[in-house]
Amino acid sequence: MGQATHLSRAALMFLSRREGLKEVATGVPALRRIARRFIAGETLEEAVSAVKELNARGLTVSFDHLNEAVRNADETLDEVREYQRLLARIDQLGVRGNVSLKLTQCGLLLDPELALRNAREVVADAKRRGSFVRVDMEQGEVTQATLDVVRALHREFGEPHVGAVLQSYLHRTEADARALCAERIRIRLCKGAYLEGPGIAFQDKKDVDENYLRVMRILLDSGLYHGIATHDERMIQETLAYARKKGLPPGAFEFQMLYGIRRDLQERLVAEGHPVRVYVPYGKHWYPYFMRRLAERPANVWFVMKNLVKG
């Protein structure tokens, strides 16, 4: 990773954590309008409307309610209720989708046991409805705690109803992938969107990509249904080539991409017969997620600057 790129990414990640800027940014109409490129709306019904359009184009989805800054146990219960409303709406409308859940929203930084209880409520509801909860991975300091919760949920609810996320920029991910696959836990593999130090994460894009491909092969060898989450066309082509080599049918795994990014690639893969799931975030607390999307790709920053100038 080039030094200038690393510094700009570090600056954007720093800004994503500034509470004062969150309040300012979410109150700027022009910025809120631009954020709609990456966020499906601030309300559940706005997200549902966006998802209906994605379903009509042959894409499945995973809803994510944005709110990483819960401050107390009462606020975590609000998140549980929001996910229960979301699962009910998916069921009622027959939307082709499931949900993604961050454990910090369930109280992981307050009390891991509280987070487990709250996540259990969401997964229990999903199981009753025949749905699935993807437990998102967050910053490195909570990686182990997150996997501990996923394992506990998986022991109770099983493979069809809960899965994990692994990030290829972490040194530990190859070992985690082997262990989770042995336990029959479904995985979404992504590169990672948080800023981590050299003690736990690869710093060079080449190393992140090589680890991504190593882990992708572990997933495709496992016989489980995993999500290969990337917008990188090289990673996609390498995945398809390995699947062909192993004789895997198109439905043996799915590609996953983010709402508003590489729509052309999403639709092209669907047209070629590959399942594609779009990660659809919504909610009023969109600022940290939005800043991470800017930090991932310089092109996203230019998109924002161009549109701010236009007003």
Side-chain angles (χ1 to χ4, degrees):
M1 184 183 298
Q3 186 176 14
T5 301
H6 182 81
L7 288 173
S8 62
R9 183 170 182 234
L12 287 165
M13 293 300 291
F14 172 77
L15 293 174
S16 75
R17 298 188 295 269
R18 307 306 294 174
E19 292 295 328
L21 286 177
K22 293 179 189 178
E23 295 180 9
V24 171
T26 53
V28 177
L31 198 57
R32 290 173 66 180
R33 187 175 65 252
I34 295 164
R36 287 298 295 266
R37 163 73 179 266
F38 308 102
I39 289 96
E42 296 193 356
T43 69
L44 172 56
E45 291 311 313
E46 287 175 330
V48 166
S49 178
V51 162
K52 286 179 178 178
E53 294 181 17
L54 293 169
N55 280 176
R57 303 207 310 265
L59 300 155
T60 58
V61 305
S62 187
F63 287 88
D64 173 31
H65 181 243
L66 299 173
N67 187 8
E68 301 168 32
V70 295
R71 294 164 294 186
N72 54 57
D74 287 342
E75 290 184 0
T76 70
L77 296 179
D78 290 339
E79 289 303 304
V80 171
R81 286 189 284 269
E82 177 67 18
Y83 271 89
Q84 289 171 333
R85 285 192 292 270
L86 173 53
L87 287 163
R89 202 79 175 106
I90 291 171
D91 205 6
Q92 178 187 11
L93 296 174
V95 169
R96 290 186 295 119
N98 55 40
V99 303
S100 293
L101 176 70
K102 288 182 173 61
L103 292 180
T104 53
Q105 293 170 250
C106 294
L108 187 62
L109 297 178
L110 303 173
D111 175 6
E113 288 300 317
L114 170 67
L116 175 57
R117 289 196 302 274
N118 284 333
R120 186 188 178 281
E121 289 296 315
V122 176
V123 179
D125 196 11
K127 182 174 182 178
R128 282 194 295 271
R129 299 178 183 279
S131 192
F132 178 84
V133 178
R134 181 76 65 181
V135 178
D136 271 332
M137 189 57 72
E138 302 178 72
Q139 63 269 30
E141 67 187 274
V142 298
T143 299
Q144 188 59 53
T146 299
L147 292 179
D148 289 345
V149 170
V150 170
R151 285 183 162 106
L153 295 169
H154 181 264
R155 284 193 296 270
E156 182 173 0
F157 297 104
E159 176 188 331
H161 303 294
V162 66
V165 177
L166 293 180
Q167 302 164 318
S168 73
Y169 69 171
L170 295 182
H171 297 156
R172 61 177 289 168
T173 292
E174 182 177 353
D176 284 333
R178 293 186 187 280
L180 293 173
C181 286
E183 297 168 57
R184 298 195 61 81
I185 296 175
R186 291 161 55 181
I187 295 166
R188 172 200 291 150
L189 175 64
C190 63
K191 291 187 180 182
Y194 296 83
L195 192 67
E196 305 290 1
I200 66 169
F202 297 108
Q203 302 298 296
D204 191 281
K205 181 181 183 298
K206 178 175 178 291
D207 294 328
V208 175
D209 287 354
E210 287 178 355
N211 200 39
Y212 190 99
L213 294 176
R214 280 194 297 272
V215 176
M216 173 272 290
R217 295 181 189 110
I218 292 168
L219 302 194
L220 267 57
D221 286 344
S222 72
L224 300 174
Y225 188 78
H226 298 295
I228 307 300
T230 182
H231 307 94
D232 185 329
E233 293 202 50
R234 179 181 164 237
M235 299 298 104
I236 290 169
Q237 292 307 315
E238 292 275 5
T239 300
L240 292 174
Y242 191 72
R244 285 193 296 271
K245 178 181 175 182
K246 302 294 290 187
L248 298 178
F253 62 92
E254 66 185 26
F255 288 107
Q256 298 187 0
M257 299 188 189
L258 299 173
Y259 181 79
I261 299 179
R262 291 306 309 268
R263 298 170 187 171
D264 60 322
L265 187 53
Q266 296 170 14
E267 294 184 3
R268 189 177 84 205
L269 287 168
V270 167
E272 292 172 358
H274 304 292
V276 178
R277 186 176 305 274
V278 178
Y279 184 89
V280 179
Y282 76 97
K284 295 179 180 178
H285 302 282
W286 49 262
Y287 175 78
Y289 175 88
F290 177 60
M291 294 299 286
R292 288 198 297 275
R293 299 291 75 79
L294 298 187
E296 283 177 339
R297 296 180 68 238
N300 292 340
V301 179
W302 285 113
F303 170 81
V304 169
M305 295 303 295
K306 181 176 66 176
N307 282 274
L308 279 175
V309 170
K310 287 180 179 178

